[in-house]
Amino acid sequence: MVEWTNYERATIKDIFAKLDYDSVGPAALSRCLVVYPWTQRYFSKFGNLYNAAAIMGNPNVAKHGKIILHDLERGVKNMDNLKETYADLSVLHSEKLHVDPDNFKLISDCLTIVVAAQMGKAFTGEVQAALQKFLAAVVSALGRQYH
Amino acid sequence: MLSKKEKELIADIWESLTPVAEDIGADALLRMFASYPGTKTYFSHLDISPRSAHLLSHGKKIVLAIAEGAQDIGQLTVTLAPLQTLHAYQLRIDPTNFKLFSHCMLVALACHMGEDFTPVAHAAMDKYLSAFAAVLSEKYR
């Protein structure tokens, strides 16, 4: 189990309290599809992903981005029990969606960058480290049920 | 693979950052030390506390080298030749650390540029920094 300091708990809750889920989720997912185009392989049913503009304006991408962020919120509310919190999603991504777990790190890096751009100077090195630790723990939980 | 447009975008961004080279460089380094404490082991001979003279001068050096490379990306192997030798034979920094630094540089850019750090700029920059790191480690073995 991951050990969290008081600073980390407070910082994670603070970051997510200030996020506009409906814009950050879509921004992170669409950024991932632009920066790491091979991730588009999992979204062939989403319609037009032909170029950056198409991706950023794609309503299916936006919808899915919001879902992802709301699912991340579950982790924020259950930081001491991430493995169980994400067990079902882990099975889904492995058995049904067949997503290479290395991709989880890619989207989490994109989310970090989106949050950084929003928070500007307030996104200090310490805040970044806390967010990255949380996202790494979520990524690990999501990979747990793969076999 | 960097398109002509991407190369121009990268050159423009780094040119605009040259005046704040030491701030961006120091910021990226501090972020790396905070998130990846193992990277501090390469700096035991320097004072890397925030705003220290060593940190600022080192950050500046790194950003200016990245900016210089950006002015003619096709010539990276030529431009970086002396730095290749330095990193391979003297500094011998494990190249996995270049990835960590590049990530922190992207975060520093995002904080600095906000909305202007668009997904397209981010993609181009990520590609450039990966190419830069690859060239830097070419003489390792």
Side-chain angles (χ1 to χ4, degrees), chain A residues 31 34-36 52 56 109-110 113 116-117 120 123-125 128-129 132, chain B residues 31 34-36 103-104 106-107 110-111 114 117-120 122-123 126:
Chain A
R31 187 169 286 250
V34 169
V35 177
Y36 309 111
M56 311 296 294
D109 282 350
C110 285
I113 300 250
F123 195 66
T124 62
Q128 176 186 344
Q132 287 181 175
Chain B
R31 289 178 185 286
S35 278
Y36 313 107
H103 171 70
C104 291
L106 292 174
V107 176
C111 287
F117 195 56
T118 62
V120 170
H122 174 174
D126 191 23

Side-chain angles (χ1 to χ4, degrees), chain A residues 7 11 14-15 112 115-132, chain B residues 26-35 50 104 107-108 111-112:
Chain A
Y7 172 80
T11 301
D14 187 58
I15 291 174
T112 304
V115 172
Q118 269 206 0
M119 290 180 64
K121 282 202 154 72
F123 195 66
T124 62
E126 286 73 33
V127 171
Q128 176 186 344
L131 178 63
Q132 287 181 175
Chain B
D27 186 28
L29 282 168
L30 275 177
R31 289 178 185 286
M32 185 179 71
F33 298 145
S35 278
C104 291
V107 176
C111 287
H112 185 81

Side-chain angles (χ1 to χ4, degrees), chain A residues 76-93:
Chain A
V76 176
K77 297 193 165 124
N78 291 284
M79 283 169 73
D80 293 313
N81 201 3
L82 292 174
K83 185 176 134 198
E84 225 179 75
T85 305
Y86 289 110
D88 288 343
L89 273 176
S90 181
V91 170
L92 176 78
H93 282 76

